[in-house]
Amino acid sequence: MLDSYEPLTSPETLDALLGLGLTDRKRAEGKLLDSARALRKKTEVAGVLKAATKEFISRQKEANANRTQYSQLPDGITEQLFCGGFRADDTGIYLTLYSADGPTEEIRVCSHPVLPLEYYEGIEDGVQRVRLGFFRRERWRAITVERQTVANRQAIVQLAAQGVDVTSETARHMVQYLADIEAQNEGRIPRVESIGRLGWVNMDFSPYIARVKFDGEESYRDLFRAVSPAGDKEAWMSKTLEIRKRPGYARTCLAAGFAAPLVGLLGGQPFFLHLWGGTETGKTVAMMVAASVWGNPALGKMLRTFSSTSVGMELLAGFLHHVPVCLDELQTAKYDGDFDKTIYMLGEGQGKTRGQKAGGLQRTNTWQTVIISN
């Protein structure tokens, strides 16, 4: 019979006990505590056993500081990333759950790969956003969301509407997965300054700020890209100089297109240039001349129609900000709103103040530019 409880709590004894399977471990713990009770040292031994079990589980979790095992990485990510205690491969994301006795089960958090691609910090408001990549239907897709969305288990469920496999049951684990990846991969995921609109930012002009990336609504990404140099500069200059020599729609629109970024610099209010006339008089072509100052003048790119709601018009003007708003075919567009109110709102230079679902106020859209319509 033992005359000391120290052999019961030696590192060798505890390591051997904790290395057993769950059923065998429970039997061994019972025998250990029976021996401790006989020595009237059950309390002391139980305390040491509890501390040793906690340390053992901690070591197990550290040993499971896995890396992702995705066979195809998205653009911008050049190596597999640490993902803590999660197992992440092409079949999905999994988490091993632990109790005081060690690992109990493995649950599936998501049915497909997910990775943060970039972290953004807005140069205007300092708000942080994350560009999140997820692999579905044989390719990586990406969405940009506010950082608070992926840090909140109630908010992250909203990503399901955009194709990410997350539910109210798995939401807290998905939040932890993304938090672990960020914490363990400093320097491996790009962090950049960003902006979600066009126009002046102090004395820089978006999108011509090399260090800054776009983090706005996905629906405006094509329009953001449309504002870029393309084509034959000399041919464009030659044609626009001809236009400047002749009176008419095109000359007026060209002047308005150049005037747009000056409105804010001069402290002016937004104003309308409205073209009125019959068909085949060149109104749309004249507007395309103005749009060509800034980018792709095609319909659906720089040139838009009034076929939108008042809120849509507000968002468009807020996005363009200091770039001309070119709206084609006012009279024939299928528009179900109130023209007068929409035109008044555009001329005011700011939209409505609205609340957020999570509390507080949304940022109010503003603009200082020229609105060209026909």
Side-chain angles (χ1 to χ4, degrees), residues 4-19:
S4 169
Y5 77 92
E6 289 183 2
L8 300 178
T9 57
S10 69
E12 295 77 14
T13 300
L14 293 176
D15 284 347
L17 183 150
L18 293 170

Side-chain angles (χ1 to χ4, degrees), residues 1 17 27 48 64 87 129 147 166 176 181 195 240 257-258 280 288 292 296 310 344 361 366:
M1 181 176 177
L17 183 150
R27 292 196 189 100
V48 174
N64 289 330
R87 178 170 66 84
R129 299 173 179 85
R147 181 88 168 279
V166 56
Q176 189 60 54
I181 283 189
I195 192 168
T240 51
F258 278 116
E280 305 300 329
M288 293 176 75
S292 74
N296 188 339
S310 179
Y344 184 79
L361 297 176
T366 62

Side-chain angles (χ1 to χ4, degrees), residues 199-221:
W200 294 109
V201 182
N202 297 320
M203 291 309 293
D204 291 319
F205 200 89
S206 170
Y208 302 109
I209 312 174
R211 71 181 188 280
V212 174
K213 289 197 173 184
F214 176 75
D215 71 347
E217 296 289 335
E218 286 298 315
S219 56
Y220 287 123
R221 187 173 292 276

